[in-house]
Amino acid sequence: MDVNGMDVIATAGHVDHGKSTLVRALTGMEPDRWEEERRRGLTIDLGFAWTTLPSGRVVAVVDVPGHERFVGNMLAGVGPVPAALVVVAADDGWSTQTAEHVAVLDALGVRHALLAVTKADLADPAPVLADATERLAATTMGAVPGVAVSAPAGRGVPELAAALETLLAGLPAPDPAAPVRLWIDRAFPIRGAGTVVTGTLPAGSVAADDRLLLGGREVGVRGVQSLGRPVDRADATARVALNLRGVAVEDLARGDALLTPGAFRSTAEVDVVLAREPEDRLPAEAVLHVGSAAVPVRVRPLEGTAVRLRLAGPLPLRVGDRVLLRDPGARRVLGADVRDVAPPELRRRGAARQRAAELDGQDTGPAGAAADLARRRVVRADDFTAMGWPVPGDAVRAGPWLLAPGLVEALARRVPGLVAAHRQAHPLEPGPPVALVRRELGLPADDLVGLVVRTPLAMREGRVVVAAAGLPPAVQRAVDAVRARLAGNPFAAPDAEELRAARLGPRELAAAVRDGQLVRVADGVYLAPGVEEQARARLAAVPAPFTLSQARSAWGTSRRVAVPLMEWLDARGVTEKLPDATRRLR
């Protein structure tokens, strides 16, 4: 059985304003999981309940603690949830903790909410409804519908359910094909089943036998539950419990995330843009909240609303994520949008100001992706999408790489100058090594050099060469003299002394061989191109099998040349050496 079509909403509000009582009245379930919570009437950790509304729509409720000491737990519950149920008591009204919870929702950019004024039997709810509605209108939630409720008596609960129906019908549809990032809010062992984790699945889907990443290792999903029953697959949005194999409960904590392999990049440094200009100076240190995770961060303001964060531990973040910065000392929260999960170093004077300008003017859609690719120039396609960017339509794909539009042409214009400069500095080399060209162009892999080499240049034997470069004039004259001598006697290879006299050292001879003007038979033995055919023709007139001495006579050369020439012909398959050391043509 698959589960889909579920909605998830989180409560928010002051302690003692009746959030858990309201959840019990709405769902018929006890959200407080701990005996201590039920005994004290105080929600300490996250609670969970669910119900089917009159239309058949299923809603799961994450009940968060309202006490100021447990704001971290509250954030863990609200973080992954798309909508909020704000609870204010008619007999108490808007409080400091209400304001703090609403500030969290505002900082997280929550746009879908419902107001419930509880304890309507103890005081007139109308003034509180009016006041809370006005306060909420100034946040990202905007115009929030409100319902007065007396939960113990059941008054207003049907109206609350109807308002929930309307709210949930307006939520944006989740993407079931998106990669999974399940922030864990609970982890516990079950006898006979092993490790179980729970969380809110905001996008994607998860099924039994899926493989997910947890930190740096892969774990298997043994089974999936949703709303207390086993399912084959759960599609977002959903509350899920996953039975995992390959990990002990001691190795898990709230804030860990289960991820689709390869779909996210863990990072300990991010550039963000604050949702609004801070009223006070930013703290040097804060706590970053995202999903159910809470990580200490060092805060480096760049300029304006642009900020660089250095995390105490890596998190799987993506461009476009909304995160929350909490300053526990000042009891304030700031929302921020992630703009870069692999930011550049800021070394040059004015780099921070320039970076801030880039971030402020960069969105998280296609235009932002194009700007980011232009800055990076070349990046692995998998890394780029794991950062959260869409691939620009005009990006150049080359194997696993993405190149910014126009980059190939710009680099191709630089290559002739690099080759010319190298040949001027090293006239006996046909051109610079490919690895040298790659470094000069700032490319990450040798394979990419081929994209920027244009005619009359070519890649040959690990170098970028001019297809018809030729030799330096002095070397060419010496090689021409050797070629003229060999034209009359093709097997009269000049000896070492003659080569020295012609100023043909190892580098000059190697250049002539690379240029195709001489053939190296062995060290110190150089002949003209075509010598293989000429040697075969001479041997064809000698009765087979023939000896080395007979071959030497046919070629009219010395033993110094004949021995390596015969071995060279053997190696090339022209001749075959027989057991008695004679040879024959193949």
Side-chain angles (χ1 to χ4, degrees), residues 270-291:
V270 294
D271 283 348
V272 304
V273 172
L274 299 177
R276 57 174 59 96
E277 193 84 35
E279 296 178 1
D280 300 315
R281 183 176 180 178
L282 291 175
E285 297 182 346
V287 180
L288 181 147
H289 294 265
V290 59

Side-chain angles (χ1 to χ4, degrees), residues 68 84 162 254 275 289 401 406 472 478 506 582:
E68 64 184 44
R254 173 175 289 171
H289 294 265
W401 300 99
T582 61

Side-chain angles (χ1 to χ4, degrees), residues 333-502:
V333 292
L334 298 166
D337 293 315
V338 174
R339 296 288 174 88
D340 197 340
V341 296
E345 295 184 6
L346 303 176
R347 292 179 175 175
R348 292 178 288 103
R349 185 178 180 87
R353 183 179 297 107
Q354 179 183 347
R355 183 63 179 147
E358 291 172 352
L359 294 169
D360 285 337
Q362 179 174 303
D363 64 24
T364 57
D372 191 76
L373 180 58
R375 180 177 62 80
R376 297 182 192 280
R377 301 172 72 245
V378 187
V379 64
R380 288 188 178 273
D382 289 348
D383 287 346
F384 195 68
T385 54
M387 293 177 197
W389 290 117
V391 175
D394 55 355
V396 177
R397 289 183 177 267
W401 300 99
L402 288 178
L403 290 84
L407 178 64
V408 171
E409 291 72 20
L411 295 181
R413 289 192 291 269
R414 292 180 54 193
V415 176
L418 294 175
V419 173
H422 188 86
R423 282 183 57 79
Q424 184 174 5
H426 308 277
L428 294 176
E429 294 183 13
V434 168
L436 177 62
V437 175
R438 171 184 61 78
R439 288 194 299 271
E440 289 291 331
L441 298 179
L443 292 172
D446 288 355
D447 292 348
L448 293 172
V449 175
L451 292 176
V452 299
V453 173
R454 303 281 191 271
T455 305
L457 301 180
M459 290 176 60
R460 185 182 300 154
E461 298 179 355
R463 292 178 180 269
V464 179
V465 302
V466 179
L471 300 172
V475 177
Q476 187 64 61
R477 287 193 295 270
V479 171
D480 288 344
V482 172
R483 292 280 298 270
R485 169 180 171 172
L486 293 173
N489 187 351
F491 304 102
D495 59 23
E497 185 176 342
E498 291 170 321
L499 291 173
R500 279 196 300 273

Side-chain angles (χ1 to χ4, degrees), residues 25-373:
L26 181 67
T27 67
M29 298 179 65
E30 173 58 66
D32 289 335
R33 295 179 289 111
W34 297 1
E35 189 278 331
E36 180 186 358
E37 292 179 307
R38 292 189 288 271
R39 186 182 72 250
R40 295 171 60 186
L42 172 68
T43 300
I44 297 172
D45 204 352
L46 303 178
F48 308 97
W50 57 88
T51 190
T52 301
L53 298 173
S55 68
R57 182 185 292 271
V58 177
V59 59
V61 182
V62 181
D63 187 30
V64 306
H67 198 284
E68 64 184 44
R69 286 184 297 158
F70 306 119
V71 66
N73 289 348
M74 178 267 182
L75 281 161
V78 170
V81 176
L85 176 60
V86 181
V87 179
V88 185
D91 63 340
D92 194 15
W94 194 273
S95 70
T96 301
Q97 195 61 37
T98 309
E100 186 167 0
H101 278 206
V102 168
V104 165
L105 298 176
D106 185 38
L108 288 173
V110 174
R111 298 187 178 279
H112 305 273
L114 176 63
L115 170 64
V117 175
T118 57
K119 304 185 181 182
D121 55 329
L122 301 181
D124 181 5
V128 175
L129 267 171
D131 177 59
T133 300
E134 182 179 355
R135 293 175 186 267
L136 290 172
T139 71
T140 57
M141 290 167 278
V144 175
V147 179
V149 182
S150 176
R155 286 166 38 202
V157 174
E159 290 79 3
L160 179 67
L164 264 179
E165 297 266 20
T166 302
L167 171 72
L168 299 177
L171 292 180
D175 181 4
V180 168
R181 179 172 54 177
L182 180 71
W183 296 100
I184 295 172
D185 51 42
R186 283 195 298 158
F188 50 91
I190 291 184
R191 185 183 300 275
T195 299
V196 174
V197 299
T198 67
T200 299
L201 183 67
S205 64
V206 63
D209 297 323
D210 280 354
R211 307 293 296 179
L212 299 172
L213 283 184
L214 178 68
R217 60 173 160 172
E218 194 173 84
V219 298
V221 178
R222 179 178 291 156
V224 182
Q225 280 199 0
S226 186
L227 305 186
R229 67 184 191 275
V231 295
D232 297 324
R233 172 179 296 277
D235 294 329
T237 303
R239 282 294 304 175
V240 295
L242 306 184
N243 182 200
L244 303 179
R245 61 168 67 92
V247 60
V249 71
E250 294 81 12
D251 297 330
L252 295 167
R254 173 175 289 171
D256 290 340
L258 290 165
L259 311 170
T260 297
F264 294 88
R265 178 192 178 101
S266 288
T267 180
E269 190 172 56
V270 294
D271 283 348
V272 304
V273 172
L274 299 177
R276 57 174 59 96
E277 193 84 35
E279 296 178 1
D280 300 315
R281 183 176 180 178
L282 291 175
E285 297 182 346
V287 180
L288 181 147
H289 294 265
V290 59
S292 61
V295 175
V297 296
R298 294 190 63 82
V299 180
R300 177 184 177 180
L302 299 178
E303 190 172 83
T305 56
V307 178
R308 175 158 294 184
L309 304 176
R310 189 178 297 276
L311 285 62
L315 288 175
L317 298 177
R318 274 186 153 199
V319 170
D321 283 343
R322 171 60 69 96
V323 299
L324 184 143
L325 293 176
R326 181 167 64 97
D327 180 1
R331 291 187 64 181
R332 62 169 171 158
V333 292
L334 298 166
D337 293 315
V338 174
R339 296 288 174 88
D340 197 340
V341 296
E345 295 184 6
L346 303 176
R347 292 179 175 175
R348 292 178 288 103
R349 185 178 180 87
R353 183 179 297 107
Q354 179 183 347
R355 183 63 179 147
E358 291 172 352
L359 294 169
D360 285 337
Q362 179 174 303
D363 64 24
T364 57
D372 191 76
L373 180 58

Side-chain angles (χ1 to χ4, degrees), residues 518-584:
L518 291 177
V519 173
R520 182 184 180 276
V521 173
D523 191 21
V525 179
Y526 293 86
L527 299 172
V531 68
E532 179 181 325
E533 293 75 15
Q534 292 172 313
R536 174 188 280 275
R538 297 275 185 101
L539 293 176
V542 180
F546 49 82
T547 64
L548 177 62
S549 178
Q550 289 173 309
R552 182 174 64 81
S553 297
W555 293 330
T557 190
S558 66
R559 185 175 177 83
R560 178 184 69 85
V561 175
V563 172
L565 178 57
M566 183 60 77
E567 292 174 350
W568 185 74
L569 293 171
D570 289 343
R572 297 172 73 86
V574 175
T575 56
E576 178 183 13
K577 188 175 183 180
L578 303 175
D580 61 357
T582 61
R583 272 133 169 128
R584 67 184 179 193

